[in-house]
Amino acid sequence: MNCRILIVEDEGKLREVLCDYFRSKGEFPVEAENGRKALELAEEGGFDAVLLDIMMPGLDGFSVCRALRRSQDVPVIFLTALSDEEDKLLGYELGADDYVTKPFTMSVLYAKTMALIKRSRGSMLSGDRLESAGLALELSSQRVFADGKEILLTPKEYALLRCLLQNRNMVLSREQLLVKCWGYDYEGEARAVDTQIRRLREKLGKRASCIKTVIKAGYRWEG
């Protein structure tokens, strides 16, 4: 795909291996040995994805992700030895798109990275619109149209629809949807997502079939 990928890893040997692997696949890796260097490079823009280690001295991965999300929507994958649910929830709340837990295989990391880039490129048809299955979301006004006719959604319904479209064909757990749409501090039940999904389906009519329920996993948008 000839993608430009920022690889942020303080362990020199692993960073070198990552860069070599992505380069062998025809991509263009750019390496950063710490968080501050990563932000300097990111300011230049033009990256298709960021692979971001969490446990780094000085500016850690969480801080880098938070800073990136102030100005960019580039896909971010955390590379981490942390597997606690709280750490993952924090990462998703800060805007991470996926986690890959160390140790990992290069082929799996590469596949995840390319899948995220494809979704990112395919979902945004313009700077202010998301389109899929005859639906059009105007991001700045938070309005939704189906074949030119507006569908009136509540803020939570709109947030769920936007999140599903931005992660097209990717299964999102109830916990991920809570974090992305309700916020990290939400203290309610994960089943609140099911209620909002049901209401959203009712309003989408024939397009409700694009929201797939994945048993024991969550929801996925196909369209």
Side-chain angles (χ1 to χ4, degrees):
M1 291 176 66
N2 302 125
C3 299
R4 191 165 179 256
I5 300 168
L6 179 58
I7 296 178
V8 190
E9 169 62 58
D10 67 320
E11 185 181 334
K13 183 60 178 178
L14 177 56
R15 189 172 68 249
E16 180 183 353
V17 170
L18 286 167
C19 288
D20 287 346
Y21 187 87
F22 276 83
R23 196 174 292 113
S24 73
K25 295 292 186 178
E27 317 306 340
F28 300 97
V30 177
E31 58 183 293
E33 67 275 13
N34 56 55
R36 295 195 181 282
K37 180 64 174 178
L39 291 180
E40 289 176 8
L41 291 168
E43 285 181 1
E44 302 172 5
F47 289 106
D48 296 290
V50 178
L51 307 185
L52 181 57
D53 184 27
I54 292 180
M55 303 298 289
M56 296 184 292
L59 203 62
D60 64 18
F62 289 137
S63 300
V64 173
C65 186
R66 183 185 292 109
L68 282 174
R69 283 294 175 254
R70 293 186 185 122
S71 60
Q72 300 186 34
D73 290 325
V74 60
V76 174
I77 298 179
F78 274 136
L79 309 178
T80 178
L82 302 176
S83 58
D84 290 346
E85 182 176 346
E86 289 186 3
D87 291 316
K88 290 187 176 182
L89 287 174
L90 175 57
Y92 287 127
E93 189 270 337
L94 292 174
D97 296 280
D98 205 348
Y99 265 80
V100 175
T101 304
K102 299 176 182 178
F104 51 80
T105 63
M106 293 294 169
S107 58
V108 169
L109 175 60
Y110 180 76
K112 282 178 172 284
T113 303
M114 294 301 107
L116 276 175
I117 291 173
K118 286 179 180 178
R119 281 195 292 272
S120 177
R121 289 178 173 178
S123 63
M124 296 300 295
L125 299 186
S126 71
D128 190 49
R129 290 172 70 88
L130 279 171
E131 295 188 11
S132 179
L135 288 177
L137 276 69
E138 292 186 353
L139 303 181
S140 60
S141 64
Q142 297 192 11
R143 300 171 71 189
V144 179
F145 297 87
D147 300 325
K149 183 178 180 179
E150 185 171 6
I151 300 175
L152 299 178
L153 301 181
T154 66
K156 283 291 185 295
E157 292 164 354
Y158 174 84
L160 278 172
L161 181 60
R162 175 176 175 171
C163 187
L164 289 168
L165 263 65
Q166 286 178 323
N167 297 276
R168 189 181 309 183
N169 297 320
M170 179 178 179
V171 177
L172 296 173
S173 69
R174 292 176 177 84
E175 289 74 19
Q176 285 176 282
L177 289 168
L178 279 175
V179 167
K180 291 176 179 291
C181 303
W182 272 255
Y184 182 65
D185 295 328
Y186 179 73
E187 296 180 353
E189 294 292 330
R191 290 295 173 178
V193 173
D194 298 338
T195 300
Q196 294 295 333
I197 288 288
R198 176 175 53 80
R199 293 172 179 169
L200 178 59
R201 281 172 166 160
E202 290 173 356
K203 293 184 178 181
L204 291 181
K206 64 182 181 180
R207 295 172 181 82
S209 61
C210 293
I211 303 178
K212 306 295 184 182
T213 300
V214 182
I215 303 300
K216 296 182 179 181
Y219 296 98
R220 177 179 65 236
W221 179 272
E222 293 182 2

